[in-house]
C-alpha cells in the first residue's frame, strides 16, 4: 500500500468520524505522528513485559530461581533450595498423616453410625418358646451409614485439606527442580512408613 493510499484512507476516516477535521497537510502529519508514537509505546510495553517474563526450565535441573507457590518465594541459593526442600518434605509427610487420620476417623464414624442403626428396639419383644427368657428384636442392619452433618462436614474438610496438599506438591513437581522432587518422594515414603499402618488397619 502506497503512502498516498494510506493518506487518502486516513483522510476519509477523519472526515467521517472527526468533528474537528482539518484537511490541511499539518493535520495529517499530526495524526500519523500520533499513531507512530502510540505504536512505539505499545511495542515498548510489550518488550518490557517480555523482559520480565521468566521462562520455566522444561527438564530436570538443580539450579535455583524457580518460583515456588508465590511470587516472593523463588529460592536461588543452595541454602534457600535446601530450606524449600525441607518444607516440601514436611508437606509430603503431612499428606500421608492426613490420609491416615481420614482412614481412622472414617472407620470410627462408620462403626458408631452402624451401632446406632442396629441397637435393640425397646418396643418389640419376642418370647423364646424353649425358655423363659425374652429376647428383644433388633432393627434391620444397614450397610450405608445415615447422614450426620457434623461428621460429614468434618470428612469433607479433611478431604479438602488433603487435596490442597496434593495440588501443592504437584505444583512443586511441575517446576522440574530435582531437589524438590526428591524431597517430595522421600517425604511421601517416610510418611507412609510412619502413618500408613494406621490407615491400612481400618480397611
Amino acid at each position: 500500500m502506497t503512502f498516498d493510499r494510506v493518506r487518502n484512507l486516513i483522510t476519509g476516516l477523519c472526515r467521517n468520524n472527526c468533528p474537528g477535521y482539518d484537511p490541511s497537510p499539518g493535520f495529517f502529519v499530526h495524526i500519523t505522528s500520533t499513531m507512530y508514537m502510540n505504536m512505539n509505546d505499545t511495542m515498548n510495553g510489550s518488550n518490557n513485559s517480555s523482559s520480565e517474563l521468566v521462562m520455566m526450565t522444561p527438564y530436570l535441573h538443580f539450579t535455583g530461581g524457580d518460583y515456588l507457590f508465590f511470587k516472593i518465594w523463588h529460592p536461588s541459593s543452595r541454602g534457600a533450595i535446601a530450606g524449600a526442600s525441607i518444607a516440601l518434605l514436611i508437606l509430603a509427610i503431612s499428606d500421608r498423616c492426613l490420609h491416615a487420620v481420614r482412614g481412622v476417623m472414617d472407620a470410627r464414624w462408620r462403626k458408631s453410625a452402624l451401632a446406632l442403626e442396629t441397637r435393640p428396639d425397646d418396643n418389640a419383644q419376642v418370647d423364646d418358646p424353649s425358655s423363659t427368657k425374652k429376647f428383644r428384636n433388633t432393627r434391620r442392619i444397614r450397610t450405608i451409614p445415615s447422614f450426620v452433618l457434623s461428621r460429614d462436614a468434618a470428612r469433607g474438610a479433611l478431604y479438602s485439606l488433603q487435596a490442597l496438599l496434593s495440588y501443592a506438591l504437584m505444583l512443586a513437581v511441575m517446576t522440574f527442580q530435582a531437589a524438590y522432587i526428591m524431597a517430595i518422594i522421600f517425604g511421601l515414603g517416610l510418611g507412609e512408613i510412619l502413618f500408613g499402618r494406621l490407615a491400612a488397619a481400618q480397611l
Side-chain angles (χ1 to χ4, degrees):
M1 184 178 293
T2 61
F3 179 78
D4 293 335
R5 295 185 62 182
V6 173
R7 183 178 62 183
N8 294 334
L9 178 62
I10 296 177
T11 302
L13 292 175
C14 293
R15 183 181 294 110
N16 296 328
N17 301 312
C18 298
Y21 170 69
D22 183 6
S24 62
F27 181 80
F28 176 75
V29 172
H30 172 70
I31 291 295
T32 53
S33 61
T34 303
M35 295 175 59
Y36 180 76
M37 292 175 62
N38 293 334
M39 185 181 299
N40 286 338
D41 293 338
T42 303
M43 294 180 62
N44 291 332
S46 61
N47 291 335
N48 293 333
S49 60
S50 62
S51 62
E52 296 177 357
L53 182 64
V54 178
M55 298 298 295
M56 183 183 68
T57 305
Y59 52 83
L60 290 176
H61 58 279
F62 286 95
T63 58
D66 297 293
Y67 286 95
L68 188 61
F69 304 146
F70 306 103
K71 186 177 181 180
I72 61 175
W73 195 10
H74 50 96
S76 301
S77 62
R78 293 182 178 180
I81 294 175
S85 299
I86 294 174
L88 292 174
L89 175 71
I90 296 174
L91 285 180
I93 295 175
S94 301
D95 178 80
R96 302 316 301 164
C97 177
L98 193 57
H99 176 74
V101 171
R102 282 186 56 214
V104 173
M105 297 305 296
D106 281 338
R108 290 184 179 179
W109 290 332
R110 183 179 180 85
K111 290 179 181 179
S112 61
L114 293 179
L116 292 175
E117 295 295 337
T118 58
R119 63 183 179 182
D121 191 356
D122 297 334
N123 298 325
Q125 295 183 352
V126 175
D127 295 336
D128 187 358
S130 62
S131 64
T132 59
K133 296 181 179 179
K134 295 182 178 181
F135 297 92
R136 294 177 178 178
N137 284 337
T138 58
R139 296 177 181 177
R140 185 176 181 181
I141 298 177
R142 297 184 59 177
T143 57
I144 300 177
S146 58
F147 176 80
V148 180
L149 179 60
S150 59
R151 296 172 183 173
D152 291 292
R155 181 185 294 108
L158 289 175
Y159 182 81
S160 299
L161 183 57
Q162 187 181 4
L164 176 63
L165 292 178
S166 300
Y167 280 115
L169 296 176
M170 180 191 68
L171 291 175
V173 171
M174 290 175 61
T175 61
F176 288 93
Q177 228 291 344
Y180 299 163
I181 296 175
M182 290 190 295
I184 291 172
I185 294 174
F186 182 73
L188 292 175
L190 182 59
E192 189 67 22
I193 292 173
L194 296 175
F195 307 106
R197 66 187 184 280
L198 301 178
Q202 308 302 324
L203 298 178

